[in-house]
Amino acid sequence: MKKNIYFLLFALLLVSCNVQNKVYNQSYRDHVLVEPIQPKLVVGIVVDQMRYDYLTRFSSKFGNEGFKRLMIDGFNCKNNHFNYVPTYTGPGHASVFTGTTPKMHGIISNNWYDKVSDSYVYCAGDTTVQSVGTLNKAGQMSPHRLKTTSFADQNRLFTQMRGKTIGISLKDRGAILPAGHTANAAYWFHGLDEGRFISSTYYLKSLPQWVQAFNNSAVAESYLKEWNTLYDINTYTESGSDLNTFEGGFKGKETATFPYDLKALSKDNRGYDIIKATPYGNSIVTDFAIAAIDGEQLGQDSFTDVLTISYSSTDYVGHNFGVNSKEIEDTYIRLNNDIERIINALNTKVGKGNYTLFLTSDHGAVEVPSYLQSVKIPAGYFNRDAFKTKLEASDIFNYKAKDFIKNISNNQIFLDRELIKNYGLNLAAVQQAIVNLIIDYPNIDKAYTATSMSNTEFAEGIENLLQNGYNQKRSGDVLFVLDPAVISYSKTGSTHGSALNYDTHVPLLFYGHGIKKGSTLQRTTIPDIAPTMSSLLGISFPNGATGRPLEMVLD
């Protein structure tokens, strides 16, 4: 009897162990099965000078397969902002891909006064490298002034350099800064009398065969054609009248009105460069990006590749014609079609569900101030030359201010610190004296010293944005802010650079592999993009990243 009981207990124990083992094994298998699979390709798109309201304002003119597909089948962050100033192209592209602000990545503007060399430097300029694809100096560019890594750099490191990175834009800085330091290549468009995509010896010694083939295919020449509205101009009710006094236009044409004969106008407008200031600049970038997917075999192996695309024509058109022009409306209608082309190419060449795409902008833009004035909204223009003359003639501690000032640029004043020291003056006191002088100047709204930017932590407001854009080594001694809708620019066309919503509020759309469908009005910031992509890929954040992953976006 006892033997039977022991046998029964032993049998029950074996069954229990077997069941537990099966449960454990099933749990293990389930865990393995749900391990995240990385996308084969990440595509980062930056639309230069795209305000958020372009998505909604021109929505009725968009087909369903471009911007709308990204918004409906992807995730739309509707309250996305830059969290620093200045809102320029160089800092914008750097911030999107590094996940931080100029305070950390060091790209404080497109061009800035360098305190060490006592000269201006360009954010992507590099005389130590040579042009590839042209004899022109337009190829002497690299990311050497970018102080931190991009998420593309981190992906290259994570994959032991097996994952590729390719950067593409009309603008050199729009191709170079997003691609980061370790990119396989960055390509940008060189116009004038050449009309070709070029690079630099920072990346490669000669252009790959596929790039040479593209340049030799006369694609650029094919875009020297008539630019007229895609649809009947009378249906463009989301923009102002075609003939007005708020637009620049092209040399050789009396009015900034449709249509534009680009081939004829190119003679007086820097040859192939005229393409940049039309929607066709975006189209040729799309052509080249699709060629790059094939030429570089992007997304064709088990290592994630990164393709960065910057559409710059929107910026050129905005600067020339303004944000309320028929030209800007037509440019976005046509860009919608180019976005559709990119998505269709990705679906065909990489495979639907095998790639992740995000789309954002490097800054927005202000309505043309002269137009705002015409409808009784406060706005205006700031005369920098008059400001400089008045400031330099002022007295500071019984000295002419001119003696202390080395440079005024990017709404910053750079002082001669060595001279101030030799005079036995306190630097912070001189900075504050200048603040006290200029705060009463017309159209200057606020002014701050570098000492306050370094010694005080600002948690909110414009002071926080200024601090995030302030790089202690590269920025000036006094920072000033202009009144809302006041710019230092021509009286035609739009520009950007401020901490106001028209410059900071830009789109942020995620789409594809690993992305939820949905939207949010929760405030997000540009530095959040790179950590979100890093989290999706399971890689380290860029080394200077200050943003946070957007959990609500990731599936």
Side-chain angles (χ1 to χ4, degrees), residues 339-358:
I339 297 298
E340 178 181 347
R341 284 207 292 144
I342 284 288
I343 295 172
N344 290 340
L346 290 169
N347 286 341
T348 300
K349 299 173 184 298
V350 182
K352 191 172 183 179
N354 289 331
Y355 65 90
T356 305
L357 180 151
F358 69 82

Side-chain angles (χ1 to χ4, degrees), residues 68 80 120 122 139 141 143 190 252 276 284 342 424 448 498 523:
K68 285 184 178 178
N80 182 62
Y120 280 97
Y122 175 56
M141 305 288 166
H190 176 55
K276 298 178 182 179
I284 198 171
I342 284 288
Y448 303 89
S498 79
R523 187 180 180 91

